[in-house]
């Protein structure tokens, strides 16, 4: 069976990962969309259980090139899930205060508490991606950081956090179309940044930075998934399925009711 999970220790060459692949779900878009909505309902139930049980923590990391679909994935996958107990953090260019600290300082406080799902829209990985591409850190610093990141994520995992990391993989043509759409559609125009056009020119450098980062940080406790993301429905289906499977594996139970509940009389 096709899987997009990166086995720990495997060297990733992104050219070999087709952003338009659909072989993991062979029944086509119509059935895929139906399955997506069923899985969303299941996710809603599992999230309610996670919240009630108040034991496990779940961290979802989303990384992608510009217009790669991070926002759309969050909107689609968590559509219908009770917002209580789910929090999204979008990591932007660090503030001066954040830059005065180590790069994980701003991240740790947004990690999930018991019963919570935390979604990172961009993450600590920016510190080995955009910074690397722009020469703010060199390869040696990145190698050190991969080790910090693995240790940091292991700390979270050993303290009860399930970590799922998704790289939403689109290709250059798809990005072009999506950026053009941002210009063409008045409702999307606010999202357009001239900077995105400049970053696009550095595509190859970004791919190398992603390959190195993903290869070094896909671990048993925090694996990466390289999700073919040219097709939105397919991307969403894979992410929600992976989340549902991970939550099912936690084998959660609703807490016991308060003692004496059988005798309670509601007047
Ligand atoms: P998004 O593209 O995620 O929807 P923005 O358009 O506001 O949101 O872009 C956020 C920007 O912040 C991106 O260009 C990203 O590379 C940058 N950024 C995030 N984290 C860091 C970091 N640690 N160092 C430098 N730049 C960062």
């Amino acid at each position: 069976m096709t899987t997009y999970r990166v086995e720990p220790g495997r060297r990733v060459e992104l050219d070999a990962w087709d952003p338009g692949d659909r072989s993991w779900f062979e029944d086509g878009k119509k059935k895929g969309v139906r399955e997506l909505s069923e899985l969303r309902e299941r996710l809603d139930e599992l999230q309610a259980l996670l919240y009630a049980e108040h034991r496990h923590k779940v961290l979802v990391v989303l990384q992608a090139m510009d217009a790669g679909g991070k926002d759309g994935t969050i909107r689609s996958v968590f559509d219908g899930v009770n917002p209580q107990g789910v929090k999204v953090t979008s990591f932007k260019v660090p503030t001066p205060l954040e830059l005065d600290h180590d790069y994980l300082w701003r991240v740790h406080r947004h990690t999930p508490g018991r019963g919570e799902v935390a979604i990172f829209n961009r993450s600590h990985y920016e510190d080995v991606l955009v910074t690397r591409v722009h020469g703010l850190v060199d390869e040696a610093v990145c190698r050190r950081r991969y080790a910090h990141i693995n240790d940091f994520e292991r700390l979270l995992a050993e303290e009860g956090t399930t970590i799922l990391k998704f790289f939403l993989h689109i290709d250059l043509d798809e990005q072009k179309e999506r950026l053009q759409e941002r210009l063409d559609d008045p409702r999307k125009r606010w999202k357009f940044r001239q900077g995105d056009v400049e970053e696009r020119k550095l595509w190859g450098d970004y791919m190398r930075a992603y390959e190195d980062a993903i290869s070094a940080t896909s671990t048993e406790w925090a694996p990466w998934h390289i999700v073919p993301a040219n097709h939105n429905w397919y991307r969403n289906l894979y992410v929600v399925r992976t989340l549902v499977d991970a939550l099912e594996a936690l084998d959660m139970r609703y807490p016991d009711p308060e003692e004496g509940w059988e005798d309670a009389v509601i007047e």
Side-chain angles (χ1 to χ4, degrees):
M1 200 194 95
T2 315
T3 172
Y4 303 124
R5 186 177 186 273
V6 179
E7 287 312 311
R10 174 171 177 192
R11 172 76 209 165
V12 168
E13 309 280 350
L14 284 170
D15 281 347
W17 297 71
D18 176 8
D21 185 47
R22 301 205 293 189
S23 62
W24 165 80
F25 186 82
E26 286 171 339
D27 294 341
K29 181 171 175 178
K30 206 165 158 201
K31 282 204 174 142
V33 169
R34 202 173 316 138
E35 179 142 335
L36 178 62
S37 84
E38 282 165 21
L39 284 167
R40 274 201 207 107
E41 280 175 31
R42 185 70 194 125
L43 183 64
D44 183 32
E45 289 165 13
L46 287 162
Q47 188 269 334
L49 188 52
L50 181 89
Y51 187 81
E53 195 191 40
H54 199 71
R55 185 156 69 101
H56 299 283
K57 309 154 186 175
V58 177
L59 174 60
V60 178
V61 171
L62 294 174
Q63 284 289 155
M65 295 297 285
D66 292 315
K70 294 180 282 94
D71 295 354
T73 303
I74 296 168
R75 207 168 47 234
S76 165
V77 169
F78 293 93
D79 183 21
V81 172
N82 184 351
Q84 186 151 262
V86 178
K87 57 176 192 181
V88 183
T89 308
S90 299
F91 290 95
K92 308 286 185 185
V93 176
T95 63
L97 178 67
E98 287 168 350
L99 282 173
D100 279 345
H101 293 77
D102 71 81
Y103 66 99
L104 292 174
W105 181 77
R106 68 169 180 164
V107 176
H108 204 160
R109 58 195 283 261
H110 295 291
T111 57
R114 290 179 201 281
E116 277 181 347
V117 178
I119 303 160
F120 284 1
N121 183 347
R122 302 188 188 270
S123 64
H124 40 298
Y125 284 94
E126 290 293 321
D127 288 285
V128 289
L129 294 166
V130 64
T131 47
R132 158 110 182 253
V133 169
H134 288 278
L136 300 173
V137 294
D138 61 19
E139 224 181 303
V141 171
C142 280
R143 269 200 299 276
R144 232 165 51 203
R145 288 188 174 183
Y146 301 147
H148 303 148
I149 289 173
N150 286 341
D151 286 344
F152 171 62
E153 291 176 349
R154 190 169 51 210
L155 159 79
L156 299 178
E158 288 179 353
E159 292 290 315
T161 308
T162 297
I163 306 172
L164 298 157
K165 302 184 295 197
F166 299 100
F167 171 53
L168 310 179
H169 187 30
I170 58 168
D171 58 35
L172 253 179
D173 289 343
E174 184 63 28
Q175 192 199 43
K176 184 174 185 198
E177 258 179 53
R178 292 183 187 194
L179 291 178
Q180 187 61 48
E181 209 178 306
R182 285 187 182 176
L183 285 175
D184 296 343
D185 183 343
R187 287 164 309 176
K188 293 187 178 171
R189 218 166 276 155
W190 66 275
K191 270 197 161 189
F192 181 78
R193 302 261 182 285
Q194 195 56 46
D196 295 351
V197 180
E198 297 306 313
E199 293 306 291
R200 183 175 155 75
K201 296 180 187 154
L202 302 169
W203 188 274
D205 294 345
Y206 270 104
M207 291 304 109
R208 301 297 87 75
Y210 267 109
E211 284 172 346
D212 287 353
I214 293 172
S215 303
T217 62
S218 199
T219 54
E220 290 298 344
W221 58 92
W224 275 105
H225 296 259
I226 299 176
V227 187
N230 277 1
H231 304 286
N232 294 350
W233 68 270
Y234 189 82
R235 169 200 79 200
N236 296 338
L237 183 60
Y238 182 80
V239 172
V240 75
R241 172 93 257 171
T242 308
L243 254 161
V244 163
D245 288 349
L247 289 171
E248 304 263 18
L250 294 177
D251 198 20
M252 298 180 285
R253 301 263 181 279
Y254 278 105
D256 288 336
E258 198 179 70
E259 224 168 281
W261 67 272
E262 300 102 318
D263 305 324
V265 179
I266 319 263
E267 297 187 352

